[in-house]
Amino acid sequence: MKSYKIALVPGDGIGVDVTEAAMEVLTAAGQKFGFALEAESFPWSCAYYLQHGAMMPTDGITQLRAFDAIYLGAVGWPETVPDAVSLHGLLLPIRKAFNQYANIRPHRLLPGVEGPLKSERFDILCIRENTEGEYAGAGGRVHQGMGNEVAVETAIFTREGVERIIRFGFEQARARRKHLTSVTKSNAQKFSMVFWDEVTKELAADYPDVTVSHMHIDAMAAKMVMAPESLDVVVASNLFGDILTDLGAAIQGGLGFAASANICPDRSGPSMFEPVHGSAPDIAGQNIANPIAAIWSGAMMLEHLGEGEAAAAVLFAIESATAAGIGSRPGTHATDAITNAVKSALES
Ligand code: IPM
Ligand code: MN
């Protein structure tokens, strides 16, 4: 039997609850489709930080490299560890170390889920640059605490980084409805974003079958509300993609439905799968977090591992549950009830 080595990093808060839920469904999918998931769990989290003074051991990245994929729940417990410390100690280094430069986030309404918009027929795939740009971590502070204090945080855009993410966007568009929208702010940011626009135009020559639109981030935010059905694949920088995908989550009914994959396209390292939502300390461990985003992210993991049929079946099972009103609205069903509904739809 085929088997895949999965590193589980449940992390903090509801990350733990939803990782358990997702793994239950994915394991059932393996049983049905003839593969095993050999999961090893790592306790790296804010609780781990309080004990060890670091979010993960110094050889954490080396340990993860041996796995076929990483499944992450959520990171952050700001009451004890500042977010800038926990995220720069775990989530962000993993994305960068394994060149997971493509952060893929699908935004569409699952059946039975009511979104806030009039339009219900949108199906958007956001591709967010995930390793550089505004979140490169380049910068510094001087004269701290003094009147002349200065903080600088420089966005880094390299030709390699920009080309590869835009090419990835074109490839995704080619496999879907063949429309790519590149999001910048090149009217105001005259170096990096003009460069991004130029690269997009250069690469477009290789994809004559894909139509390209260029939009500024502000107009794009409005478009996602006013005419989301006009969008297919959207490609954006790290910061812009981060913001747009929370908007995407909102229009698809909330963060409980927003799945994501951090992909290393050349497979030189493992890719990582995680729901977009955070650790939600206020509802942690209460069996009330919606596991749909986490299970959907798990389906994306199966797809990436080459188990496309199982991935489609998990997604279909999610849709059967939400269509029946289970997990489709906040606060009506417990985490385990939703998980069981998805599992029995999968098994039936
Ligand atoms: C996300 C999150 C993270 C990000 C934070 C927690 C650093 O908001 O995955 O969208 O911005 O990358
Ligand atoms: Mn975000």
Side-chain angles (χ1 to χ4, degrees):
M1 188 159 65
K2 254 185 299 175
S3 107
Y4 304 99
K5 291 176 63 172
I6 311 297
L8 296 182
V9 185
D12 298 297
I14 61 165
V16 178
D17 312 23
V18 300
T19 297
E20 195 189 309
M23 282 311 289
E24 246 186 73
V25 174
L26 299 183
T27 304
Q31 277 158 6
K32 179 161 179 174
F33 290 91
F35 60 88
L37 297 178
E38 236 181 276
E40 187 181 334
S41 194
F42 296 86
W44 308 337
S45 59
C46 290
Y48 183 93
Y49 181 93
L50 294 179
Q51 275 196 323
H52 299 90
M55 291 297 292
M56 62 175 159
T58 41
D59 69 343
I61 294 294
T62 313
Q63 290 190 45
L64 292 176
R65 196 176 284 282
F67 289 83
D68 295 312
I70 304 164
Y71 187 94
L72 183 133
V75 179
W77 198 273
E79 237 174 69
T80 57
V81 183
D83 280 342
V85 172
S86 58
L87 291 154
H88 280 278
L90 189 55
L91 177 67
L92 300 174
I94 295 174
R95 288 177 177 168
K96 287 175 189 166
F98 296 127
N99 251 333
Q100 296 166 349
Y101 64 81
N103 190 325
I104 309 182
R105 298 180 166 181
H107 301 298
R108 63 184 173 83
L109 278 174
L110 293 171
V113 177
E114 233 176 81
L117 302 183
K118 264 190 246 159
S119 173
E120 292 185 341
R121 298 191 168 275
F122 57 88
D123 179 357
I124 305 171
L125 192 69
C126 269
I127 310 291
R128 162 187 174 188
E129 201 294 318
N130 213 28
T131 54
E132 55 171 45
E134 307 87 345
Y135 295 178
R141 288 170 67 171
V142 289
H143 312 310
Q144 265 173 268
M146 291 158 65
N148 58 348
E149 182 165 0
V150 179
V152 176
E153 186 129 6
T154 307
I156 305 286
F157 289 89
T158 65
R159 181 167 281 276
E160 186 195 6
V162 174
E163 276 188 9
R164 67 188 187 181
I165 194 65
I166 293 173
R167 198 173 278 287
F168 189 86
F170 272 111
E171 295 289 342
Q172 296 294 315
R174 179 169 267 179
R176 288 172 42 107
R177 301 193 305 278
K178 298 189 170 42
H179 184 225
L180 179 72
T181 305
S182 165
V183 181
T184 65
K185 186 63 188 173
S186 49
N187 53 351
Q189 295 182 300
K190 61 182 182 175
F191 303 114
S192 57
M193 296 284 99
V194 169
F195 170 54
W196 179 292
D197 278 351
E198 281 172 15
V199 172
T200 308
K201 284 177 190 145
E202 282 168 29
L203 291 179
D206 292 347
Y207 300 88
D209 51 325
V210 176
T211 57
V212 185
S213 306
H214 297 264
M215 289 209 59
H216 294 141
I217 178 68
D218 44 359
M220 183 65 186
K223 184 155 215 132
M224 277 181 70
V225 173
M226 302 302 287
E229 68 286 345
S230 67
L231 298 163
D232 179 15
V233 177
V234 171
V235 64
S237 68
N238 212 333
L239 168 68
F240 292 169
D242 184 21
I243 296 168
L244 286 181
T245 54
D246 259 36
L247 179 53
I251 65 172
Q252 73 188 129
L255 282 162
F257 303 106
S260 90
N262 303 271
I263 300 289
C264 168
D266 66 13
R267 295 180 185 253
S268 55
S271 294
M272 176 166 64
F273 302 82
E274 49 159 345
V276 176
H277 65 68
S279 57
D282 52 322
I283 60 162
Q286 295 173 39
N287 191 28
I288 56 176
N290 191 332
I292 300 277
I295 300 171
W296 190 347
S297 306
M300 294 172 85
M301 179 168 81
L302 296 185
E303 176 85 49
H304 183 76
L305 291 170
E307 298 292 343
E309 218 188 324
V314 170
L315 204 50
F316 188 74
I318 291 174
E319 291 177 340
S320 311
T322 57
I326 301 166
S328 56
R329 249 181 297 169
T332 54
H333 289 85
T335 309
D336 57 1
I338 301 169
T339 308
N340 289 335
V342 175
K343 236 172 50 181
S344 42
L346 180 68
E347 282 157 356
S348 70

